[in-house]
DNA sequence: ACCTGAACACCGTTCAAGT
DNA sequence: ACCTGAACACCGTTCAAGT
């Protein structure tokens, strides 16, 4: 056959990425196979390796988009009161995870072959999400030392992520989305109440 | 060859389970392959399917042991003060996760083919872990309605799990184990402080 | 009755060969 | 230069055939 020059390499790369992303969204990570992507875009398997080093590379680029999406959602949160802002960020995160479950899950399900080989541009995207959270803690306690604030943001955000993960993936027990939202609200409110108290007492 | 009757089927099942568990502990979930297990116990691949329905069945039995181990560790926690008890439970959980990272990770990494097909005996083990947590909340607020208490336990435990997961698997950022323990302590203390306050105000 | 090992259907990845 | 498609090494799983 040889569909030479029908698409540029950049166009082909976009085709592969879009097709792969769609498969993940609609059928989950486990349905993502090289041959399947090839069929979807009307090329053969080999072509994928012209534009991506391997499946790990392709997966990383899908995950990068997911990180961008999450960051974009969090950027839109704009509550004037700091505590309300943090709660809104948490609910926005849960909402994204719930509505984009398959791609959100792949973000955490996929393990990089060697953990130290995560490229800088990808790590930047991971940090971008977390930075938005930390930023809201600046608003909450401007006087607080950066170390303390970062640790608090880390603890709470790990918490919000954990509640979302256990609930949505049905590991610990089975809840509906409203219960999860309530759990997230409970965690955020009580943590912040306790933390602000201990911070202003210093 | 045919090593007939050298082991009973029950002995063979134990051999397979032990070998598989060891592989997971030492090399992680991704190293667990049917042929590898067979080599390790001196049988051929087919034998595994005499004692386990498939790899999913084998994995579930390894995970069941992990759940038992976690439950046993949590049972040993015996702090008189309720808030100290919850914190000790959280630190014990983190400690187990850190020291048994590979098998702990498989517990959450592995997805059941159909989520509704998790057998009752396995779910019981999942609940056993969570029940210990809930129990400590009874001690913390005996007057509290069960619904509220369960939700609080769920929120906090999801939180403790999330901080452990993001930190140990190096997803959000990279921390050493001491920092993680501090984050867990921060989450637990501040949550409990806020929650007890809002509960006694009722 | 227990166990083998060859076979099957799938994977990811490569690369000589075509246009 | 771009793309194919057959090949390779590896998976999980099955099952007729051996002892």
């Amino acid at each position: 056959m040889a569909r030479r020059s029908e698409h540029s390499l950049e166009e082909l790369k976009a085709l592969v990425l879009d097709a792969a992303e769609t498969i993940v969204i609609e059928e989950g990570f486990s349905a993502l196979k090289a041959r399947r992507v090839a069929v979807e875009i009307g090329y053969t398997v080999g072509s994928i390796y012209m534009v991506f080093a391997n499946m790990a590379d392709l997966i990383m680029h899908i995950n990068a988009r997911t990180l961008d999406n999450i960051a974009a959602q969090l950027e839109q949160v704009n509550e004037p009161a700091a505590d309300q802002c943090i709660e809104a960020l948490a609910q926005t995160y849960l909402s994204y995870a719930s509505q984009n479950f398959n791609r959100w899950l792949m973000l955490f399900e996929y393990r990089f072959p060697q953990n130290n080989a995560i490229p800088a541009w990808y790590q930047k995207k991971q940090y971008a999400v977390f930075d938005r959270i930390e930023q809201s803690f600046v608003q909450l306690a401007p006087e607080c030392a950066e170390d303390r604030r970062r640790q608090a943001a880390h603890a709470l955000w790990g918490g919000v992520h954990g509640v979302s993960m256990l609930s949505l993936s049905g590991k610990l027990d089975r809840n509906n989305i409203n219960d999860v939202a309530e759990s997230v609200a409970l965690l955020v409110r009580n943590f912040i109440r306790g933390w602000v108290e201990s911070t202003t007492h210093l």
Side-chain angles (χ1 to χ4, degrees), chain A residues 67 70-71 74-75 85-86 89 122-139 146 149-150 153-154 157:
Chain A
L67 285 169
I70 294 173
L74 296 183
E75 288 308 332
C85 179
I86 295 175
L89 286 171
Y122 185 84
Q123 277 192 25
K124 240 184 194 166
K125 289 178 189 294
Q126 290 184 312
Y127 294 148
V129 171
F130 189 66
D131 282 349
R132 178 67 189 88
I133 315 302
E134 227 186 307
Q135 187 187 313
S136 66
F137 269 80
V138 175
Q139 203 186 336
E146 202 192 317
R149 203 164 50 209
R150 187 182 289 260
H154 178 261
W157 204 252

Side-chain angles (χ1 to χ4, degrees), chain A residues 44-66:
Chain A
T44 57
V45 229
S47 316
I48 293 170
Y49 296 85
M50 292 166 49
V51 289
F52 288 102
N54 46 41
M55 287 304 278
D57 187 27
L58 174 54
I59 290 163
M60 199 172 61
H61 280 81
I62 301 173
N63 283 348
R65 279 202 191 175
T66 304

Side-chain angles (χ1 to χ4, degrees), chain A residues 156-187:
Chain A
L156 183 59
W157 204 252
V160 169
H161 170 74
V163 174
S164 305
M165 182 59 82
L166 286 188
S167 298
L168 294 180
S169 68
K171 278 287 181 187
L172 211 52
D173 50 13
R174 192 138 6 273
N175 296 37
N176 66 43
I177 181 67
N178 292 324
D179 287 345
V180 189
E182 262 187 70
S183 291
V184 165
L186 200 67
L187 186 72

Side-chain angles (χ1 to χ4, degrees), chain A residues 31-119:
Chain A
L32 182 61
K33 316 282 172 188
R35 283 172 179 81
R36 172 71 192 284
V37 172
V39 168
E40 222 70 54
I41 61 172
Y43 278 76
T44 57
V45 229
S47 316
I48 293 170
Y49 296 85
M50 292 166 49
V51 289
F52 288 102
N54 46 41
M55 287 304 278
D57 187 27
L58 174 54
I59 290 163
M60 199 172 61
H61 280 81
I62 301 173
N63 283 348
R65 279 202 191 175
T66 304
L67 285 169
D68 284 345
N69 286 352
I70 294 173
Q73 295 275 322
L74 296 183
E75 288 308 332
Q76 281 182 24
V77 172
N78 193 17
E79 294 281 330
D83 56 342
Q84 304 257 355
C85 179
I86 295 175
E87 196 175 321
L89 286 171
Q91 296 295 352
T92 301
Y93 182 77
L94 172 62
S95 171
Y96 183 89
S98 170
Q99 284 166 36
N100 304 273
F101 182 66
N102 283 339
R103 65 183 312 175
W104 175 75
L105 195 59
M106 188 170 87
L107 198 55
F108 300 97
E109 229 172 13
Y110 179 71
R111 307 272 141 199
F112 290 93
Q114 323 99 298
N115 233 358
N116 53 337
I118 303 176

